[in-house]
Amino acid sequence: MSGKLEDLYRRWILDCVVDSVEAISKDFVQHPQQYRGATTSGLLEEFKARTGNDPLWPNKEQRAAIYGTLFGMADGDSDGENSGQFGEAASDVRRRATLYAERVFSSGEEMLRQAFRDSIETFQAYLETLKGPVVDRGDAQTTNIFDKAVAVLQDAGVAQRFGGLPPAPANWPTSRPYGGDGANLIEEIKRTLFVGPEYQLPRKRFLVMQRIATYGHGTIADVQSYKYDQSKGQKSTTDLITAAYSWATAILDSKRMNSNDGMHLGGDGSKPLENLSTLESRRNIGRNR
């Protein structure tokens, strides 16, 4: 069973889903003839009328304030820089997992595992301070609007408006396999209703955001329940390292997509990809200057 904090993190990363449906609701009012086959017209009317005016329908700025209180003010797919205590603690967990996963020699393996466990304890202690009414209220507010946004994007009549694409599938966007239909739909909505390259969201990038959301969700959940047991801690620690490393690599892939240095994610050989620990070390050196 998912906990509220990790669910909030996942919705934070995938907030573009709600943002897209807010834009659709405005388009629906202006061009109702484009949505004749929609079965969620009532929801779209609610989005237009209630978003920003009802505690259970927070607008983009209100959602940013909810998430910012918990996770900091950095972008959801950043690596914790300038994002407060959550970002710093989460980034350290990912960095320690990376150092362990990408180690070259086995001689320091136990020291690296211990360093990872130490970072987990720090992150765990911080997450414990977040539990309470702020999380409960934020979860209730963002769950309502997120779930309703997903329902709209699963409406074939709405999807038809955007190039006749299929709707988002059941259990999207939080369950694997992710599939491409939902990502294609988000890309087309952004292309159709949002002006400017900074608002575009290519399919490939949205799929990476789903990975960040999934692995971040899993890591946060596991950290909260983690308790090192000498007799069986080896397996549980390894599982958590795997989750945190997957989270780290997803974030790195997102950063590479944002960069203008010519790197590619597809492994086409145009430029070799640096390993994650090298990039983490470079960033930490820059911080200490």
Side-chain angles (χ1 to χ4, degrees):
M1 181 178 178
S2 293
K4 293 177 180 178
L5 192 56
E6 57 264 34
D7 286 351
L8 276 160
Y9 177 85
R10 185 164 57 188
R11 288 192 291 271
W12 179 41
I13 299 299
L14 299 176
D15 191 64
C16 60
V17 169
V18 182
D19 199 32
S20 296
V21 175
E22 284 189 63
I24 290 173
S25 70
K26 297 172 185 176
D27 185 59
F28 171 74
V29 171
Q30 295 171 354
H31 307 101
Q33 70 279 5
Q34 300 277 6
Y35 297 87
R36 288 175 182 168
T39 60
T40 54
S41 55
L43 274 182
L44 288 170
E45 290 172 354
E46 283 195 278
F47 262 96
K48 184 66 172 65
R50 300 178 68 177
T51 300
N53 301 311
D54 184 314
L56 293 180
W57 294 79
N59 61 24
K60 187 176 183 67
E61 291 72 24
Q62 291 164 339
R63 295 193 307 276
I66 292 169
Y67 296 131
T69 298
L70 299 170
F71 305 121
M73 300 309 295
D75 290 337
D77 62 350
S78 76
D79 199 17
E81 296 178 41
N82 304 317
S83 60
Q85 294 182 65
F86 174 89
E88 291 174 3
S91 182
D92 192 46
V93 167
R94 294 190 296 263
R95 185 172 66 87
R96 298 291 182 181
T98 298
L99 290 172
Y100 181 86
E102 296 183 352
R103 69 193 186 283
V104 177
F105 303 105
S106 59
S107 57
E109 179 178 348
E110 185 50 41
M111 288 184 289
L112 289 171
R113 291 180 74 88
Q114 183 57 52
F116 176 76
R117 287 194 289 266
D118 289 344
S119 71
I120 288 298
E121 290 181 5
T122 300
F123 194 27
Q124 190 179 62
Y126 176 68
L127 294 178
E128 188 65 29
T129 68
L130 296 180
K131 295 178 180 178
V134 173
V135 170
D136 293 341
R137 184 169 58 251
D139 179 67
Q141 291 175 310
T142 58
T143 296
N144 177 71
I145 195 167
F146 186 87
D147 288 350
K148 285 180 168 58
V150 170
V152 169
L153 296 179
Q154 290 172 336
D155 182 349
V158 171
Q160 189 67 28
R161 158 75 171 98
F162 301 97
L165 290 174
N171 300 319
W172 179 90
T174 58
S175 297
R176 303 178 71 180
Y178 305 128
D181 288 345
N184 288 338
L185 183 56
I186 290 289
E187 179 180 41
E188 186 61 21
I189 291 167
K190 292 286 188 179
R191 189 192 68 78
T192 303
L193 301 182
F194 291 76
V195 178
E198 68 274 20
Y199 296 110
Q200 302 309 298
L201 185 54
R203 168 185 178 275
K204 191 173 183 180
R205 176 160 170 72
F206 183 79
L207 290 170
V208 170
M209 290 169 66
Q210 286 181 283
R211 286 171 48 212
I212 295 171
T214 297
Y215 292 126
H217 179 278
T219 304
I220 293 167
D222 290 346
V223 165
Q224 291 177 89
S225 62
Y226 179 79
K227 185 175 182 180
Y228 181 64
D229 184 332
Q230 190 72 34
S231 63
K232 57 183 179 181
Q234 193 79 359
K235 182 179 186 302
S236 62
T237 301
T238 300
D239 290 344
L240 192 45
I241 288 172
T242 300
Y245 182 64
S246 298
W247 188 15
T249 55
I251 287 174
L252 180 60
D253 285 349
S254 179
K255 283 188 164 188
R256 285 171 174 156
M257 285 183 171
N258 282 337
S259 70
N260 296 316
D261 60 7
M263 283 189 175
H264 295 269
L265 294 175
D268 59 7
S270 59
K271 279 195 177 182
L273 297 181
E274 298 176 271
N275 68 36
L276 187 56
S277 56
T278 300
L279 294 177
E280 288 277 4
S281 299
R282 183 178 297 168
R283 191 181 72 238
N284 289 331
I285 291 171
R287 283 176 176 170
N288 295 328
R289 285 178 179 171

